[in-house]
Amino acid sequence: MPDITTLHNLYTNDPNGLLTTITAIYDRIEGKDLNPVWISIIPRENAIARVKQLSLITIEERVKLPLYGIPFAVKDNIDVATLSTTAGCPAFACGPVAENAPLVEKLEQAGAILIGKTNMDQFATGLVGTRSPYGACASVFNTNYISGGSSSGSAVAVASGLVTFSLGTDTAGSGRIPAMFNNIIGLKPTRGLLSARGVVPACRSLDCVSIFAETASDAAIILSVARGFDEFDPYSRIPSDSSGAAPWIIAPTFRIGIPTLNTREFFRDIHNPVLFQKAINVISHDLNGELIEFDLTPFLNVASLLYKGPWVAERYAAVGSFVDQHLTEIDPTVRTIITNAKDYTAVDTFNAIYELERLKKKTNKLWEIFDVMLVPTAPRAFTFDEIAAAPIEYNSQLGYYTNFVNLLDLAAIAIPAGIRPDGLPFGVTLISHAFTDTALLILGDRIHRSLATNIGGSSRSLADTPKLLSMDNRILPSNCFLIAVIGAHLSGQPLNYQLTERKARLIRTCRTNQEYRLYALKDGVPAKPGLLHVKNSEGRGIELEIWAVPADKIASFIAMIPSPLSIGSIHLDDGQIVKGFLVEPSAVNDAQDITHFGGWRSYLNSIKASS
């Protein structure tokens, strides 16, 4: 299925483009056995009526609908008006639901066209995609291999070109594992960033609605529509202006955490370790990532709490009563997991909460040394026969790199990272702090384009799709503040620590325009210069550094600036205007004019040379 931009161009240039696109989807669905992908379908006539409704909108008005005419699917634990919600269990459905989940409503209001609801591991309990009475989805690359789950149908619908994007859910990796096995993007947003109202919960305190798309650019468009506070969802969150500050995304380099060799695990697979190392090399050499090796063990200990601790009891809280009354209609593995969960006590729960907080202290220490984490999305792929032989053991192995993410309130994006010699796809996952979703998408797009050639399960070229964003260093995340420094705060200078201890990052070195004079101020400790704008002054400009400071740190930084220095607007030689250090005009009356040196470092070097 073409990307969002290509479809919009088609619809603009071809009056019948939208009808042709939607008709072709239904022809494919009805023309071949795609039942394992779908649990229920919006009737063709309803979709065509939606097409006719959208076609009445003028081209000028369509720009207000970012998802105009874009076909999508949702996992069948998400409510859709007029369709039943089965969560992978026919007996669970209570007839057609009355209204859309708020998230589905948002997408439709933005112009998207819903095609249907997709297959899943029953009650979203599994990472395999085989625990469904509706059949098991296979990887689009090899039908002997599982698709991954629990959002199996949603991933396959995108990878096979039936829809442009889809919604899944993610508690332990269900929005990421199927993305790797089908060579697509899987965005696991920050918990609470997307409304989960109208979604059958797995673990309500951890659940996220996830996004599958072929490119990070499409995922970013969908996220921009889908995100937002829902006052009726108890777990919905409003990010503060400083939440998820990611100055590293516009810096020349970024620190990327890589698990040490002894904490990497591929469970006897021989191809994935090679491709993971290739991804590491490309990120280091081509994308300027600074590699930081770290011990993954504390994160793995967190992961063990999810299925070997009382959080699994949340699954019983969600659907346990129903399961107890319908034991014969529940997948045997799902039944075992959910019914055993009721054995946990309140004491077990509190002890696990205490252990999680203890482990958070350890993981937070590690986050101080890197900006983003890179892991394989899954250690390996499994055939259907392998999963049938050991359904719980191999499911657990699939979650090796995913189970800790939601417990630690992190955001993640699964990215295609190449094709193995046996033709199966491999993928990596970027992980960072809550609300860094946009930064992860930007970096994910760069990595995707560096490691992959084709899109999903098709022969279409990734290079022909729009990049998410230019990595021009002038693009500024809303949660950062650019500030220009010209003296004691420069890299290597005495006050630079005031920036670095606030997690600020150097963006670039550049110059002011010619209308600035630089003075060596008297009696400062440490010595400081003063930058003064002098209209019609002529020179080559003054060297400075631009730093990105997290928004919640800028006030404390500015509070440390002594008189006669101040913060004002500085005009750069390329026409950009940034905030930065200036000096009060009265302070330069008895100061030495050092403009001819072109910058503070050159002036300091001249003093050293003369001494």
Side-chain angles (χ1 to χ4, degrees):
M1 179 64 63
D3 60 88
I4 292 173
T5 299
T6 300
L7 282 177
H8 282 169
N9 290 337
L10 170 66
Y11 300 159
T12 298
N13 297 322
D14 181 358
N16 295 316
L18 177 53
L19 179 60
T20 301
T21 298
I22 301 304
T23 299
I25 292 171
Y26 279 89
D27 288 346
R28 282 190 63 195
I29 291 172
E30 295 168 5
K32 62 188 297 188
D33 183 14
L34 293 171
N35 287 333
V37 176
W38 304 98
I39 289 179
S40 57
I41 298 285
I42 297 291
R44 180 192 284 254
E45 58 270 22
N46 291 18
I48 298 304
R50 171 78 165 150
V51 168
K52 292 179 179 178
Q53 177 191 42
L54 288 171
S55 297
L56 297 175
I57 300 173
T58 64
I59 292 177
E60 292 74 19
E61 288 295 310
R62 290 178 192 175
V63 297
K64 300 177 183 178
L65 300 176
L67 298 178
Y68 176 87
I70 304 302
F72 77 109
V74 303
K75 187 175 180 178
D76 195 27
N77 57 349
I78 302 173
D79 284 348
V80 170
T82 75
L83 298 181
S84 298
T85 298
T86 72
C89 179
F92 183 74
C94 298
V97 301
E99 58 185 17
N100 288 332
L103 184 51
V104 174
E105 190 68 22
K106 268 190 174 184
L107 297 171
E108 290 195 326
Q109 288 177 357
I113 298 178
L114 182 63
I115 301 301
K117 303 183 75 176
T118 56
N119 203 353
M120 58 181 285
D121 280 316
Q122 196 172 73
F123 296 119
T125 303
L127 296 173
V128 290
T130 64
R131 301 170 181 174
S132 170
Y134 296 97
C137 294
S139 165
V140 298
F141 286 83
N142 188 325
T143 56
N144 292 321
Y145 282 80
I146 63 171
S147 63
S150 61
S151 308
S152 51
S154 289
V156 172
V158 172
S160 59
L162 289 167
V163 292
T164 301
F165 75 94
S166 64
L167 299 182
T169 58
D170 190 308
T171 304
S174 295
R176 290 162 279 161
I177 300 297
M180 170 171 149
F181 291 169
N182 294 282
N183 204 42
I184 58 175
I185 295 289
L187 175 65
K188 188 222 75 72
T190 299
R191 283 181 357 215
L193 190 62
L194 277 61
S195 172
R197 187 157 54 99
V199 178
V200 179
C203 296
R204 189 184 296 272
S205 66
L206 302 178
D207 294 340
C208 302
V209 176
S210 65
I211 295 170
F212 293 106
E214 290 183 328
T215 67
S217 179
D218 277 1
I221 293 170
I222 298 152
L223 178 65
S224 69
V225 173
R227 66 188 299 165
F229 180 68
D230 178 357
E231 63 176 317
F232 299 108
D233 175 2
Y235 286 95
S236 185
R237 300 157 74 182
I238 301 177
S240 68
D241 291 340
S242 60
S243 293
W248 48 267
I249 196 58
I250 55 171
T253 186
F254 56 94
R255 304 171 304 165
I256 186 158
I258 309 295
T260 55
L261 280 171
N262 67 315
T263 57
R264 298 178 201 174
E265 180 60 77
F266 296 94
F267 299 105
R268 302 174 303 282
D269 187 276
I270 60 173
H271 298 306
N272 289 352
V274 176
L275 286 173
F276 185 57
Q277 188 59 51
K278 178 185 176 182
I280 292 170
N281 295 342
V282 167
I283 290 169
S284 174
H285 299 150
D286 298 350
L287 301 181
N288 212 25
E290 178 189 354
L291 304 181
I292 309 291
E293 285 206 344
F294 73 98
D295 184 350
L296 190 64
T297 302
F299 294 91
L300 300 177
N301 291 339
V302 170
S304 69
L305 295 174
L306 188 61
Y307 279 104
K308 296 178 181 178
W311 270 275
V312 74
E314 273 202 280
R315 295 181 183 272
Y316 189 84
V319 295
S321 296
F322 173 85
V323 169
D324 287 342
Q325 296 170 26
H326 299 81
L327 291 175
T328 60
E329 297 171 89
I330 308 300
D331 175 269
T333 305
V334 173
R335 182 175 63 235
T336 298
I337 293 169
I338 292 178
T339 56
N340 287 349
K342 61 185 176 182
D343 294 335
Y344 287 101
T345 67
V347 173
D348 295 330
T349 301
F350 279 107
N351 284 335
I353 291 171
Y354 303 152
E355 177 64 6
L356 177 60
E357 292 303 312
R358 186 185 71 82
L359 290 168
K360 281 181 179 179
K361 299 293 185 186
K362 291 187 174 182
T363 60
N364 288 341
K365 283 286 186 184
L366 290 168
W367 279 111
E368 293 177 3
I369 63 174
F370 51 80
D371 305 307
V372 60
M373 181 193 303
L374 181 80
V375 295
T377 300
R380 55 163 296 183
F382 290 100
T383 65
F384 284 102
D385 289 342
E386 287 172 322
I387 292 298
I392 293 180
E393 177 187 355
Y394 289 156
N395 185 93
S396 177
Q397 290 181 12
L398 287 175
Y400 186 85
Y401 296 108
T402 61
N403 285 350
F404 60 82
V405 173
N406 283 0
L407 278 167
L408 292 174
D409 194 19
L410 302 170
I413 178 173
I415 309 154
I419 303 298
R420 297 154 41 110
D422 60 5
L424 292 174
F426 173 68
V428 296
T429 292
L430 290 172
I431 304 169
S432 194
H433 300 288
F435 300 109
T436 58
D437 308 74
T438 299
L440 288 174
L441 282 163
I442 295 171
L443 181 56
D445 190 55
R446 296 173 65 199
I447 293 173
H448 189 192
R449 294 175 187 280
S450 299
L451 297 173
T453 303
N454 294 337
I455 298 173
S458 75
S459 59
R460 288 179 293 120
S461 172
L462 177 62
D464 293 336
T465 65
K467 293 182 179 180
L468 174 54
L469 281 176
S470 165
M471 284 310 296
D472 186 316
N473 56 25
R474 298 182 195 182
I475 296 171
L476 179 66
S478 60
N479 48 16
C480 291
F481 186 95
L482 288 186
I483 191 162
V485 300
I486 51 97
H489 288 92
L490 292 167
S491 299
Q493 295 301 306
L495 299 183
N496 183 249
Y497 75 93
Q498 294 180 354
L499 288 167
T500 57
E501 71 180 8
R502 288 169 173 78
K503 303 187 184 303
R505 298 299 295 272
L506 174 64
I507 303 304
R508 60 176 173 140
T509 301
C510 52
R511 307 189 79 84
T512 69
N513 70 16
Q514 64 184 12
E515 294 188 330
Y516 286 87
R517 310 295 296 179
L518 189 66
Y519 298 87
L521 302 178
K522 294 184 66 175
D523 304 327
V525 179
K528 302 181 188 72
L531 184 69
L532 186 66
H533 180 254
V534 180
K535 193 172 183 180
N536 298 323
S537 176
E538 292 187 3
R540 57 183 177 135
I542 304 301
E543 184 183 71
L544 51 76
E545 291 178 349
I546 297 178
W547 287 71
V549 184
D552 62 336
K553 308 293 185 183
I554 192 64
S556 65
F557 176 73
I558 292 176
M560 301 179 73
I561 298 172
S563 176
L565 300 179
S566 62
I567 297 294
S569 295
I570 297 177
H571 294 252
L572 306 182
D573 60 358
D574 62 1
Q576 188 181 8
I577 301 174
V578 297
K579 299 299 181 184
F581 281 81
L582 294 172
V583 68
E584 297 171 10
S586 60
V588 305
N589 292 335
D590 57 353
Q592 179 186 356
D593 189 328
I594 57 172
T595 304
H596 58 285
F597 287 102
W600 183 243
R601 280 201 187 90
S602 295
Y603 167 70
L604 294 178
N605 289 338
S606 73
I607 294 176
K608 289 180 182 179
S610 62
S611 62

